[in-house]
Amino acid sequence: MRAVALDLFHLDAQYFADLFVVRSLSFAGYIILLYECVASFPDEVKYIWPTPWSTVKIIYLAIRYGNLALIGLTNAQLAGIWWIPSRTFCFRVTFGLSFVQFASFASVHVLVLLRAWATWGRKRNMLTLLVVLFSIYAIASIAFLAYGIVEAGYDAYPLSSITRTCIGILPPFAWLLWVPSLLLECAIFALTMVSIRQYKVHRRFSEQPPLVQIICRDAVGYFLVTLFSNIFNILVWAYDANRPLNMLSNSFTLCLMNVAAQRLVLDLRKDTDFDGLSTTRVGREVERAIEALPRSRSPSPIVFVEVDSAVYLSRASTALGRGSYLNENHAPVPMTWSWGEVALELVAMEDTVTSEERTVEV
């Protein structure tokens, strides 16, 4: 016997309070999305429109303008503006909007997958891995989504005729819908970071090539947004599945993820001199920028040192051999250091000298 969500069957003050929170956050998310579109429109005209058509450009425009219409319809339904007094209306609207929203989330994932593939130099085995990860995510998400809506049925919206809002009952396992998305984003972020970290970077982050800075900065920023969105949706559906608050995941987090995804494309195009937005072009530029970095390699045991370093080494060896060393005033200082402590002290002293003046590795 299916459990009944009592909160969704009682029109009390708490119900209207929850409905107010849902509508307020949904409208706030839509305002954020509208503001982003208006604020970044000059950059879009300058950096996106003149470029040749590509997969990234198509997805970008679909995310940008398709979601304005989609979330606009969602908010219209939440506000009771879009309403038809029919027993099947809420079921059909929920079914249609849910799958369109899933397509929107999936398109954002595809955009980030293409970016991750580009950072790996468009390798075929990496493309295969990303396709497999996305397929698992898509199949699992569609299965959970379809089963949940069909299982709820036509009568899962008890107060819709009064509130003119399609707020329905969620199955107990509904929160699992967001787990594949969370796992996919974690995998993409890890792969993107590994693609950069496979090269040992000796300089500070601010001195890295602009492309590497953009990839790292936007990857971290987008991952934090999507991490918050998925965890937020999981918690809401796990603890408030029987309250109107379960509608919070419909548009608010989708707006946040869309803004972050749009910035991935705009920042890459705006802060570089690319002539196009294709994955191939980005991949080539990533390869060039990363290949210019010093590769990680095992340090040579042969080290040439300058005078300052020789003084430090002399002090360390004296400490090991005689139990003391001479300080700046040429006074002996007793030492009881171990090999590891001497090594740490040597590194600390050598940090005061720039690497160019200190050593030259062979």
Side-chain angles (χ1 to χ4, degrees), residues 82-125:
W82 179 29
W83 166 255
I84 298 176
S86 170
R87 177 173 176 267
T88 62
F89 173 76
C90 281
F91 178 83
R92 293 177 177 178
V93 167
T94 301
F95 192 88
L97 288 180
S98 296
F99 276 94
V100 175
Q101 287 173 350
F102 165 75
S104 179
F105 277 109
S107 61
V108 173
H109 294 319
V110 170
L111 191 63
V112 181
L113 284 168
L114 289 173
R115 186 185 181 96
W117 182 42
T119 62
W120 278 91
R122 309 179 320 281
K123 296 179 180 178
R124 181 170 298 180
N125 57 347

Side-chain angles (χ1 to χ4, degrees), residues 35-47:
Y35 175 80
E36 168 64 20
C37 289
V38 173
S40 60
F41 185 73
D43 290 336
E44 178 189 340
V45 173
K46 182 177 181 180
Y47 299 109

Side-chain angles (χ1 to χ4, degrees), residues 242-264:
N242 298 336
R243 297 175 57 185
L245 292 177
N246 64 33
M247 295 291 289
L248 283 174
S249 62
N250 277 25
S251 59
F252 176 65
T253 54
L254 180 59
C255 290
L256 297 182
M257 289 187 64
N258 273 274
V259 170
Q262 292 174 27
R263 280 296 165 185
L264 287 179

